[in-house]
Coordinates of all heavy atoms in Angstrom, one line a residue:
M210 N -9.8 -15.5 -1.9 CA -9.7 -14.1 -2.2 C -8.6 -13.5 -1.3 O -8.6 -13.7 -0.1 CB -11.0 -13.4 -2.2 CG -11.8 -13.5 -3.4 SD -13.4 -12.7 -3.1 CE -13.2 -11.2 -4.0
P211 N -7.8 -12.5 -1.8 CA -7.0 -11.7 -0.9 C -7.8 -10.9 0.1 O -8.9 -10.6 -0.2 CB -6.2 -10.8 -1.9 CG -6.4 -11.4 -3.3 CD -7.6 -12.1 -3.2
K212 N -7.1 -10.7 1.3 CA -7.8 -10.0 2.3 C -6.9 -8.7 2.7 O -5.7 -8.9 2.8 CB -8.0 -10.9 3.4 CG -8.8 -10.1 4.6 CD -9.0 -11.1 5.7 CE -9.3 -10.3 7.0 NZ -9.1 -11.1 8.2
I213 N -7.5 -7.5 2.8 CA -6.8 -6.4 3.3 C -7.2 -6.0 4.6 O -8.4 -6.0 4.9 CB -6.9 -5.3 2.2 CG1 -6.1 -4.0 2.6 CG2 -8.4 -4.7 2.1 CD1 -4.8 -4.0 1.9
T214 N -6.3 -5.5 5.5 CA -6.7 -5.0 6.7 C -5.9 -3.7 6.8 O -4.7 -3.5 6.5 CB -6.3 -5.8 7.9 OG1 -6.9 -7.0 7.8 CG2 -6.6 -5.2 9.3
I215 N -6.6 -2.5 7.2 CA -6.0 -1.2 7.3 C -6.0 -0.8 8.8 O -7.0 -0.8 9.4 CB -6.8 -0.2 6.5 CG1 -7.0 -0.6 5.1 CG2 -6.1 1.2 6.5 CD1 -5.8 -0.6 4.2
L216 N -4.8 -0.5 9.3 CA -4.6 0.0 10.6 C -4.5 1.6 10.5 O -3.9 2.0 9.5 CB -3.4 -0.7 11.3 CG -3.5 -2.2 11.3 CD1 -2.2 -2.7 11.9 CD2 -4.7 -2.7 12.1
P217 N -4.8 2.3 11.5 CA -5.4 1.8 12.8 C -6.8 1.7 12.9 O -7.2 1.3 13.9 CB -4.9 3.1 13.7 CG -5.1 4.3 12.8 CD -4.6 3.8 11.5
Q218 N -7.5 1.8 11.8 CA -9.0 1.6 11.8 C -9.4 0.2 12.0 O -10.5 -0.1 12.4 CB -9.6 2.2 10.5 CG -9.5 3.6 10.2 CD -8.2 4.0 9.4 OE1 -7.2 3.2 9.4 NE2 -8.2 5.1 8.8
N219 N -8.4 -0.7 11.7 CA -8.8 -2.2 11.7 C -9.9 -2.6 10.8 O -10.7 -3.4 11.1 CB -8.9 -2.6 13.1 CG -8.6 -4.1 13.3 OD1 -7.8 -4.7 12.6 ND2 -9.2 -4.7 14.3
A220 N -9.9 -1.9 9.6 CA -11.0 -2.2 8.7 C -10.5 -3.3 7.7 O -9.3 -3.3 7.3 CB -11.2 -0.9 7.8
T221 N -11.4 -4.2 7.4 CA -10.9 -5.3 6.6 C -11.9 -5.5 5.4 O -13.1 -5.1 5.5 CB -10.9 -6.7 7.4 OG1 -12.2 -7.0 7.7 CG2 -10.0 -6.6 8.6
A222 N -11.4 -6.1 4.4 CA -12.2 -6.4 3.2 C -11.6 -7.5 2.4 O -10.4 -7.7 2.4 CB -12.5 -5.3 2.4
E223 N -12.3 -8.4 1.8 CA -11.9 -9.3 0.7 C -11.8 -8.6 -0.6 O -12.8 -7.8 -0.9 CB -12.7 -10.5 0.7 CG -12.6 -11.4 1.9 CD -13.2 -12.8 1.7 OE1 -14.1 -12.9 0.9 OE2 -12.7 -13.7 2.3
V224 N -10.8 -8.7 -1.3 CA -10.6 -8.0 -2.6 C -10.2 -8.8 -3.7 O -9.8 -10.0 -3.5 CB -9.6 -6.8 -2.4 CG1 -10.0 -5.8 -1.3 CG2 -8.2 -7.4 -2.0
E225 N -10.3 -8.4 -4.9 CA -9.9 -9.2 -6.1 C -8.4 -9.1 -6.2 O -7.8 -8.0 -5.9 CB -10.5 -8.5 -7.4 CG -12.0 -8.4 -7.4 CD -12.6 -9.7 -7.8 OE1 -11.9 -10.6 -8.4 OE2 -13.7 -9.9 -7.4
A226 N -7.7 -10.2 -6.6 CA -6.4 -10.2 -6.9 C -6.1 -9.2 -8.0 O -6.9 -9.1 -8.9 CB -5.9 -11.6 -7.2
G227 N -5.0 -8.5 -7.9 CA -4.7 -7.4 -9.0 C -5.2 -6.0 -8.6 O -4.9 -5.1 -9.3
Q228 N -5.9 -5.9 -7.5 CA -6.4 -4.5 -7.1 C -5.1 -3.9 -6.4 O -4.3 -4.5 -5.8 CB -7.4 -4.6 -6.1 CG -8.8 -4.8 -6.6 CD -10.0 -4.3 -5.7 OE1 -9.9 -4.6 -4.5 NE2 -10.9 -3.7 -6.3
T229 N -5.1 -2.5 -6.6 CA -4.0 -1.9 -5.8 C -4.3 -1.8 -4.4 O -5.5 -1.9 -4.0 CB -3.8 -0.4 -6.4 OG1 -5.1 0.2 -6.1 CG2 -3.5 -0.4 -7.8
L230 N -3.3 -1.6 -3.6 CA -3.6 -1.4 -2.1 C -4.5 -0.2 -1.9 O -5.3 -0.2 -0.9 CB -2.2 -1.1 -1.4 CG -1.3 -2.3 -1.4 CD1 0.0 -1.9 -0.8 CD2 -1.9 -3.5 -0.7
L231 N -4.4 0.8 -2.7 CA -5.3 2.0 -2.5 C -6.7 1.6 -2.8 O -7.6 1.9 -1.9 CB -4.8 3.0 -3.5 CG -5.5 4.3 -3.5 CD1 -5.2 5.1 -2.2 CD2 -5.1 5.2 -4.7
E232 N -7.0 0.9 -3.9 CA -8.3 0.5 -4.2 C -8.8 -0.5 -3.1 O -10.0 -0.5 -2.6 CB -8.4 -0.3 -5.5 CG -8.1 0.6 -6.7 CD -7.7 -0.3 -7.9 OE1 -7.4 -1.4 -7.9 OE2 -7.9 0.3 -9.1
A233 N -8.0 -1.4 -2.6 CA -8.4 -2.3 -1.6 C -8.8 -1.6 -0.2 O -9.7 -2.0 0.3 CB -7.2 -3.4 -1.3
G234 N -8.0 -0.7 0.1 CA -8.3 0.1 1.3 C -9.5 0.9 1.2 O -10.4 0.8 2.2
E235 N -9.8 1.5 0.1 CA -11.1 2.1 -0.2 C -12.3 1.2 0.0 O -13.3 1.4 0.5 CB -11.1 2.8 -1.5 CG -10.0 4.0 -1.7 CD -10.5 5.3 -1.3 OE1 -11.7 5.4 -1.0 OE2 -9.6 6.2 -1.2
H236 N -12.0 0.0 -0.6 CA -13.0 -1.1 -0.6 C -13.3 -1.5 0.9 O -14.5 -1.9 1.2 CB -12.4 -2.3 -1.4 CG -13.5 -3.3 -1.7 ND1 -14.5 -3.1 -2.6 CD2 -13.6 -4.6 -1.2 CE1 -15.3 -4.2 -2.7 NE2 -14.7 -5.1 -1.8
A237 N -12.3 -1.3 1.8 CA -12.5 -1.7 3.1 C -13.2 -0.5 3.8 O -13.4 -0.5 5.0 CB -11.2 -2.0 3.8
G238 N -13.4 0.5 3.2 CA -14.2 1.7 3.7 C -13.3 2.7 4.3 O -13.8 3.6 5.0
V239 N -12.0 2.7 4.0 CA -11.0 3.7 4.6 C -10.7 4.8 3.5 O -10.5 4.4 2.4 CB -9.7 3.0 5.0 CG1 -8.7 4.0 5.5 CG2 -10.1 2.0 6.1
E240 N -10.8 6.0 3.9 CA -10.4 7.1 3.0 C -8.9 7.0 3.0 O -8.2 7.5 4.0 CB -10.9 8.4 3.5 CG -10.9 9.4 2.5 CD -11.6 10.7 2.8 OE1 -12.6 10.6 3.6 OE2 -11.2 11.8 2.5
M241 N -8.3 6.6 1.9 CA -6.8 6.4 1.8 C -6.2 7.7 1.3 O -6.7 8.4 0.5 CB -6.6 5.3 0.8 CG -7.1 4.0 1.1 SD -6.4 3.2 2.5 CE -4.8 2.6 1.8
E242 N -5.1 8.1 2.0 CA -4.3 9.2 1.5 C -3.7 9.0 0.1 O -3.1 7.9 -0.2 CB -3.1 9.4 2.4 CG -3.5 9.8 3.9 CD -3.6 11.3 4.0 OE1 -3.2 12.1 3.0 OE2 -4.0 11.8 5.1
A243 N -3.9 9.9 -0.7 CA -3.3 9.8 -2.1 C -3.2 11.1 -2.7 O -4.0 12.1 -2.4 CB -4.1 8.8 -3.0
G244 N -2.4 11.3 -3.7 CA -2.3 12.5 -4.5 C -2.3 12.3 -6.0 O -3.3 12.5 -6.6
C245 N -1.2 11.8 -6.5 CA -1.0 11.7 -7.9 C -1.7 10.4 -8.6 O -2.0 10.4 -9.7 CB 0.4 11.7 -8.3 SG 1.3 10.2 -7.8
F246 N -1.9 9.4 -7.8 CA -2.4 8.1 -8.2 C -1.5 7.5 -9.4 O -1.9 6.7 -10.1 CB -3.8 8.2 -8.7 CG -4.8 8.7 -7.7 CD1 -5.1 9.9 -7.6 CD2 -5.4 7.7 -6.8 CE1 -5.9 10.4 -6.6 CE2 -6.3 8.1 -5.9 CZ -6.6 9.5 -5.7
N247 N -0.3 8.0 -9.3 CA 0.6 7.6 -10.5 C 2.1 7.3 -10.0 O 3.0 7.4 -10.8 CB 0.7 8.8 -11.5 CG 1.2 8.4 -12.7 OD1 1.2 7.2 -13.2 ND2 1.9 9.4 -13.4
C248 N 2.2 6.9 -8.8 CA 3.5 6.3 -8.3 C 4.6 7.4 -8.4 O 5.7 7.1 -8.7 CB 3.8 5.1 -9.1 SG 4.9 4.0 -8.3
S249 N 4.3 8.7 -8.2 CA 5.3 9.7 -8.3 C 5.3 10.7 -7.2 O 6.4 11.3 -7.0 CB 5.3 10.4 -9.6 OG 4.1 11.0 -9.8
C250 N 4.3 10.9 -6.4 CA 4.3 11.9 -5.3 C 4.6 11.4 -3.9 O 5.3 12.2 -3.1 CB 3.0 12.7 -5.3 SG 1.6 11.7 -4.5
G251 N 4.4 10.2 -3.7 CA 4.7 9.6 -2.3 C 3.7 9.9 -1.2 O 3.7 9.3 -0.1
T252 N 2.6 10.6 -1.6 CA 1.5 10.9 -0.6 C 0.9 9.6 0.0 O 0.5 9.6 1.2 CB 0.4 11.7 -1.2 OG1 1.1 12.8 -1.9 CG2 -0.6 12.2 -0.2
C253 N 0.8 8.6 -0.8 CA 0.1 7.4 -0.5 C 0.9 6.3 0.3 O 0.4 5.2 0.5 CB -0.5 6.8 -1.7 SG 0.8 6.1 -2.8
V254 N 2.1 6.8 0.7 CA 2.9 5.7 1.4 C 2.3 5.1 2.6 O 1.6 5.9 3.4 CB 4.4 6.4 1.8 CG1 4.2 7.5 2.8 CG2 5.4 5.3 2.1
A255 N 2.5 3.8 2.8 CA 1.9 3.1 3.9 C 2.9 2.0 4.4 O 3.7 1.5 3.6 CB 0.6 2.5 3.6
E256 N 2.9 1.7 5.6 CA 3.6 0.6 6.2 C 3.0 -0.7 6.0 O 1.8 -0.9 6.2 CB 3.9 0.8 7.7 CG 4.7 -0.2 8.3 CD 4.8 -0.1 9.9 OE1 4.3 0.9 10.4 OE2 5.4 -1.0 10.4
V257 N 3.7 -1.7 5.4 CA 3.2 -3.0 5.3 C 3.6 -3.8 6.5 O 4.7 -4.1 6.7 CB 3.8 -3.7 4.0 CG1 3.2 -5.1 3.9 CG2 3.4 -2.9 2.8
V258 N 2.5 -4.0 7.4 CA 2.8 -4.6 8.6 C 2.9 -6.2 8.5 O 3.7 -6.8 9.2 CB 1.6 -4.3 9.7 CG1 1.8 -5.0 11.0 CG2 1.5 -2.7 9.9
Q259 N 2.1 -6.7 7.6 CA 2.1 -8.1 7.3 C 1.9 -8.3 5.8 O 1.0 -7.5 5.2 CB 1.1 -8.9 8.0 CG 1.4 -9.4 9.4 CD 0.3 -10.1 10.0 OE1 -0.6 -10.8 9.4 NE2 0.0 -9.8 11.3
G260 N 2.4 -9.3 5.2 CA 2.0 -9.8 3.8 C 2.8 -9.1 2.7 O 2.3 -9.2 1.5
M261 N 4.0 -8.6 3.0 CA 4.8 -8.0 1.9 C 5.0 -9.1 0.7 O 5.1 -8.7 -0.5 CB 6.2 -7.6 2.4 CG 7.0 -6.8 1.4 SD 6.3 -5.2 0.8 CE 7.1 -4.2 2.0
E262 N 5.0 -10.4 1.1 CA 5.3 -11.4 0.1 C 4.1 -11.6 -0.8 O 4.2 -12.2 -1.9 CB 5.6 -12.8 0.8 CG 4.4 -13.4 1.6 CD 4.2 -12.8 3.0 OE1 4.9 -11.7 3.3 OE2 3.5 -13.3 3.8
N263 N 3.0 -11.0 -0.4 CA 1.7 -11.1 -1.3 C 1.6 -9.9 -2.3 O 0.6 -9.8 -3.0 CB 0.5 -11.1 -0.4 CG 0.5 -12.4 0.4 OD1 0.9 -13.4 0.1 ND2 0.1 -12.3 1.8
L264 N 2.6 -9.0 -2.3 CA 2.6 -7.8 -3.1 C 3.5 -7.9 -4.3 O 4.6 -8.6 -4.3 CB 2.9 -6.6 -2.3 CG 2.0 -6.3 -1.1 CD1 2.5 -5.1 -0.3 CD2 0.6 -6.2 -1.5
D265 N 3.2 -7.2 -5.4 CA 4.2 -7.1 -6.5 C 5.5 -6.5 -5.9 O 5.5 -5.7 -5.0 CB 3.7 -6.0 -7.5 CG 2.6 -6.6 -8.3 OD1 2.5 -7.8 -8.5 OD2 1.9 -5.7 -8.9
P266 N 6.6 -6.9 -6.5 CA 7.9 -6.3 -6.0 C 7.9 -4.8 -6.6 O 7.2 -4.5 -7.5 CB 9.0 -7.1 -6.8 CG 8.3 -7.9 -7.9 CD 6.8 -8.0 -7.4
P267 N 8.7 -3.9 -5.9 CA 8.7 -2.5 -6.2 C 9.4 -2.3 -7.6 O 10.3 -2.9 -8.0 CB 9.5 -1.9 -5.1 CG 10.2 -3.0 -4.4 CD 9.5 -4.2 -4.7
S268 N 8.8 -1.4 -8.3 CA 9.4 -0.9 -9.6 C 10.6 0.1 -9.2 O 10.6 0.7 -8.1 CB 8.4 -0.1 -10.4 OG 7.9 1.0 -9.7
D269 N 11.4 0.4 -10.2 CA 12.4 1.4 -9.9 C 11.9 2.7 -9.6 O 12.3 3.5 -8.8 CB 13.3 1.6 -11.2 CG 14.2 0.4 -11.5 OD1 14.3 -0.5 -10.6 OD2 14.7 0.2 -12.6
E270 N 10.8 3.1 -10.3 CA 10.0 4.3 -10.1 C 9.6 4.4 -8.6 O 9.8 5.4 -7.9 CB 8.8 4.4 -11.0 CG 8.2 5.7 -11.1 CD 7.0 5.6 -12.0 OE1 6.4 4.5 -12.3 OE2 6.5 6.6 -12.5
E271 N 9.0 3.3 -8.1 CA 8.5 3.3 -6.7 C 9.7 3.5 -5.7 O 9.6 4.2 -4.8 CB 7.7 2.1 -6.4 CG 7.1 2.1 -5.1 CD 6.4 0.8 -4.6 OE1 6.4 -0.2 -5.4 OE2 6.0 0.7 -3.5
L272 N 10.8 2.8 -6.0 CA 11.9 2.8 -5.1 C 12.5 4.3 -5.1 O 13.0 4.6 -4.0 CB 13.0 1.7 -5.7 CG 12.7 0.4 -5.5 CD1 13.7 -0.5 -6.2 CD2 12.6 -0.1 -4.0
D273 N 12.5 4.9 -6.1 CA 13.0 6.2 -6.2 C 12.2 7.2 -5.3 O 12.7 7.9 -4.5 CB 12.9 6.9 -7.6 CG 14.0 6.5 -8.5 OD1 15.0 5.9 -7.9 OD2 14.0 6.8 -9.6
V274 N 10.9 7.1 -5.4 CA 9.9 7.9 -4.5 C 10.1 7.5 -3.0 O 10.2 8.4 -2.2 CB 8.4 7.8 -5.0 CG1 7.5 8.5 -4.1 CG2 8.3 8.2 -6.4
L275 N 10.1 6.3 -2.8 CA 10.4 5.8 -1.3 C 11.7 6.4 -0.8 O 11.7 6.8 0.4 CB 10.4 4.2 -1.2 CG 8.9 3.6 -1.5 CD1 9.0 2.2 -1.6 CD2 8.0 4.0 -0.3
D276 N 12.7 6.4 -1.7 CA 14.0 6.9 -1.2 C 13.8 8.5 -0.9 O 14.4 8.9 0.1 CB 15.0 6.6 -2.3 CG 16.4 6.9 -1.9 OD1 16.8 6.5 -0.9 OD2 17.0 7.8 -2.6
Q277 N 13.1 9.2 -1.7 CA 12.9 10.6 -1.5 C 12.3 10.8 -0.1 O 12.5 11.8 0.5 CB 12.1 11.2 -2.6 CG 12.8 11.4 -3.9 CD 11.8 11.7 -5.1 OE1 10.8 12.3 -4.8 NE2 12.2 11.4 -6.2
W278 N 11.4 9.9 0.3 CA 10.7 10.1 1.5 C 11.4 9.4 2.7 O 10.9 9.3 3.8 CB 9.3 9.5 1.4 CG 8.4 10.4 0.7 CD1 8.3 10.6 -0.7 CD2 7.1 11.0 1.1 NE1 7.3 11.5 -1.0 CE2 6.5 11.6 0.1 CE3 6.5 11.0 2.4 CZ2 5.4 12.4 0.3 CZ3 5.4 11.8 2.5 CH2 4.8 12.5 1.5
N279 N 12.6 8.9 2.4 CA 13.3 8.2 3.4 C 12.5 6.9 4.0 O 12.6 6.7 5.2 CB 13.8 9.0 4.6 CG 15.0 10.0 4.1 OD1 15.8 9.5 3.4 ND2 14.8 11.2 4.5
K280 N 11.9 6.2 3.1 CA 11.1 5.1 3.6 C 11.7 3.8 3.1 O 11.9 3.7 1.9 CB 9.6 5.2 3.1 CG 8.9 6.4 3.7 CD 8.6 6.2 5.2 CE 7.6 7.3 5.7 NZ 7.6 7.4 7.1
D281 N 11.9 2.9 4.0 CA 12.6 1.7 3.6 C 11.6 0.8 2.8 O 10.6 0.4 3.3 CB 13.1 1.0 4.8 CG 13.8 -0.3 4.6 OD1 13.9 -0.8 3.5 OD2 14.4 -0.9 5.6
P282 N 11.9 0.4 1.6 CA 11.0 -0.5 0.8 C 10.8 -1.8 1.3 O 9.9 -2.5 0.9 CB 11.7 -0.5 -0.6 CG 13.1 -0.1 -0.4 CD 13.1 0.8 0.8
V283 N 11.6 -2.2 2.3 CA 11.3 -3.6 3.0 C 10.1 -3.4 3.8 O 9.4 -4.3 4.1 CB 12.6 -3.9 3.8 CG1 12.3 -5.0 4.8 CG2 13.7 -4.2 2.9
K284 N 9.7 -2.2 4.3 CA 8.6 -2.0 5.2 C 7.4 -1.1 4.6 O 6.4 -1.2 5.0 CB 9.0 -1.3 6.5 CG 9.7 -2.2 7.5 CD 10.1 -1.6 8.8 CE 8.9 -1.1 9.5 NZ 9.4 -0.4 10.7
Y285 N 7.9 -0.3 3.6 CA 6.9 0.8 3.2 C 6.7 0.7 1.7 O 7.6 0.3 0.9 CB 7.4 2.2 3.5 CG 7.4 2.6 4.9 CD1 8.6 2.3 5.7 CD2 6.3 3.1 5.5 CE1 8.6 2.6 7.1 CE2 6.4 3.4 6.9 CZ 7.4 3.2 7.6 OH 7.4 3.5 9.0
R286 N 5.4 0.9 1.3 CA 5.1 0.9 -0.2 C 4.2 2.0 -0.5 O 3.5 2.6 0.4 CB 4.4 -0.6 -0.5 CG 5.2 -1.7 -0.2 CD 6.5 -1.8 -1.0 NE 6.4 -1.9 -2.4 CZ 6.1 -3.0 -3.1 NH1 6.1 -4.2 -2.6 NH2 6.0 -2.9 -4.4
L287 N 4.0 2.2 -1.8 CA 3.1 3.3 -2.3 C 1.8 2.5 -2.7 O 1.8 1.7 -3.6 CB 3.7 4.0 -3.5 CG 5.0 4.7 -3.3 CD1 5.5 5.3 -4.5 CD2 5.0 5.7 -2.1
T288 N 0.7 2.9 -2.0 CA -0.5 2.2 -2.2 C -1.1 2.2 -3.6 O -1.8 1.4 -4.0 CB -1.5 2.5 -1.1 OG1 -2.0 3.8 -1.3 CG2 -1.0 2.2 0.3
C289 N -0.8 3.4 -4.3 CA -1.5 3.6 -5.5 C -0.9 2.7 -6.7 O -1.5 2.6 -7.8 CB -1.4 5.0 -6.0 SG 0.2 5.6 -6.5
C290 N 0.3 2.2 -6.4 CA 0.9 1.5 -7.5 C 1.3 0.0 -7.3 O 1.8 -0.7 -8.1 CB 2.2 2.2 -8.2 SG 3.3 2.8 -6.9
V291 N 0.9 -0.5 -6.1 CA 1.2 -1.8 -5.7 C 0.0 -2.7 -5.7 O -1.0 -2.3 -5.1 CB 1.9 -1.8 -4.3 CG1 2.2 -3.3 -3.9 CG2 3.2 -1.0 -4.3
K292 N 0.0 -3.8 -6.4 CA -1.2 -4.7 -6.4 C -1.0 -5.9 -5.5 O 0.1 -6.5 -5.3 CB -1.3 -5.2 -7.9 CG -1.7 -4.1 -8.9 CD -1.8 -4.4 -10.2 CE -2.2 -3.3 -11.1 NZ -1.7 -3.5 -12.4
I293 N -2.1 -6.2 -5.0 CA -2.1 -7.4 -4.1 C -2.3 -8.6 -5.1 O -3.1 -8.7 -5.9 CB -3.4 -7.5 -3.2 CG1 -3.4 -6.2 -2.4 CG2 -3.5 -8.7 -2.3 CD1 -4.6 -6.1 -1.4
Q294 N -1.5 -9.7 -4.8 CA -1.5 -10.9 -5.6 C -2.3 -12.0 -4.9 O -2.7 -12.9 -5.6 CB -0.1 -11.4 -6.0 CG 0.6 -10.3 -6.9 CD -0.1 -9.8 -8.1 OE1 -1.1 -10.5 -8.4 NE2 0.2 -8.8 -8.7
G295 N -2.4 -12.0 -3.6 CA -3.1 -13.1 -2.9 C -2.9 -12.9 -1.5 O -2.2 -12.0 -1.0
G296 N -3.4 -13.9 -0.7 CA -3.2 -13.9 0.7 C -3.7 -12.7 1.5 O -4.7 -12.2 1.0
S297 N -3.1 -12.5 2.6 CA -3.6 -11.4 3.4 C -2.5 -10.4 3.7 O -1.4 -10.7 3.8 CB -4.3 -12.0 4.6 OG -3.6 -11.7 5.7
V298 N -2.9 -9.1 3.6 CA -2.0 -7.9 3.7 C -2.6 -7.0 4.9 O -3.8 -6.7 4.8 CB -1.9 -7.2 2.5 CG1 -1.1 -5.9 2.5 CG2 -1.4 -8.1 1.3
V299 N -1.7 -6.6 5.7 CA -2.0 -5.6 6.8 C -1.2 -4.4 6.5 O 0.0 -4.4 6.5 CB -1.8 -6.2 8.2 CG1 -2.1 -5.2 9.2 CG2 -2.5 -7.5 8.4
L300 N -1.9 -3.2 6.4 CA -1.3 -2.0 6.1 C -1.5 -1.0 7.3 O -2.6 -1.0 7.9 CB -1.9 -1.3 4.9 CG -1.6 -1.7 3.5 CD1 -2.3 -0.7 2.6 CD2 -0.2 -1.7 3.4
R301 N -0.6 -0.1 7.6 CA -0.8 0.9 8.4 C -0.5 2.3 7.7 O 0.6 2.4 7.1 CB 0.2 0.9 9.7 CG -0.1 2.0 10.7 CD 0.9 1.9 11.8 NE 1.2 0.7 12.4 CZ 0.4 0.1 13.4 NH1 -0.6 0.7 13.8 NH2 0.7 -1.1 13.8
Q302 N -1.4 3.2 7.6 CA -1.2 4.4 6.9 C -0.2 5.2 7.6 O -0.1 5.3 8.8 CB -2.6 5.2 6.8 CG -3.6 4.5 5.9 CD -4.5 5.5 5.2 OE1 -4.1 6.0 4.2 NE2 -5.7 5.6 5.7
A303 N 0.7 5.8 6.9 CA 2.0 6.3 7.5 C 1.8 7.8 7.8 O 2.7 8.5 8.3 CB 3.2 6.1 6.5
H304 N 0.7 8.5 7.4 CA 0.6 9.9 7.7 C -0.4 10.1 8.9 O -1.3 9.3 9.1 CB -0.1 10.6 6.5 CG 0.9 10.5 5.3 ND1 2.0 11.3 5.3 CD2 0.9 9.7 4.2 CE1 2.7 11.0 4.1 NE2 2.0 10.1 3.5
Ligands
LIG404 S1 -0.7 8.8 -4.8 FE1 1.2 9.7 -5.5 S2 2.6 8.1 -5.3 FE2 0.6 7.2 -4.7

């Protein structure tokens, strides 16, 4: 099963493949920052410290929002719209 770790709390959980990062973080017991839950506001942006290769590639919509927040998609993702596919992912909340 995929594993999520949220920093700085260092909270971890095993999650189902196909869960969003937001769902996975909540599953780990962390109150995740979010607004629209729809990949359009950018409130949920988080740094992917490890495991970017285990996530869906960004959609054009996500890339537009990251650009508005000046966040490099190589390091940052929107947790409400990105799903974990496997492996382990370490996130740091960006707010
Ligand atoms: S909660 Fe708005 S983009 Fe994720």
Side-chain angles (χ1 to χ4, degrees):
M210 273 174 108
K212 185 179 159 198
I213 185 95
T214 302
I215 309 289
L216 303 176
Q218 295 90 339
N219 206 25
T221 65
E223 289 196 331
V224 297
E225 300 286 336
Q228 279 201 321
T229 63
L230 293 175
L231 183 69
E232 291 165 339
E235 300 270 354
H236 193 68
V239 176
E240 194 170 327
M241 301 290 285
E242 292 271 354
C245 68
F246 298 93
N247 191 30
C248 208
S249 59
C250 74
T252 308
C253 66
V254 68
E256 180 185 354
V257 180
V258 179
Q259 268 176 41
M261 185 66 91
E262 69 279 8
N263 297 322
L264 304 176
D265 284 340
S268 64
D269 289 347
E270 192 181 21
E271 185 186 358
L272 289 173
D273 279 352
V274 175
L275 289 169
D276 188 54
Q277 284 167 29
W278 284 66
N279 287 320
K280 296 291 188 192
D281 183 348
V283 171
K284 284 179 66 180
Y285 290 90
R286 302 299 299 273
L287 301 178
T288 65
C289 74
C290 51
V291 180
K292 293 177 178 155
I293 303 181
Q294 297 307 343
S297 108
V298 175
V299 180
L300 280 188
R301 186 187 308 277
Q302 293 212 78
H304 295 287

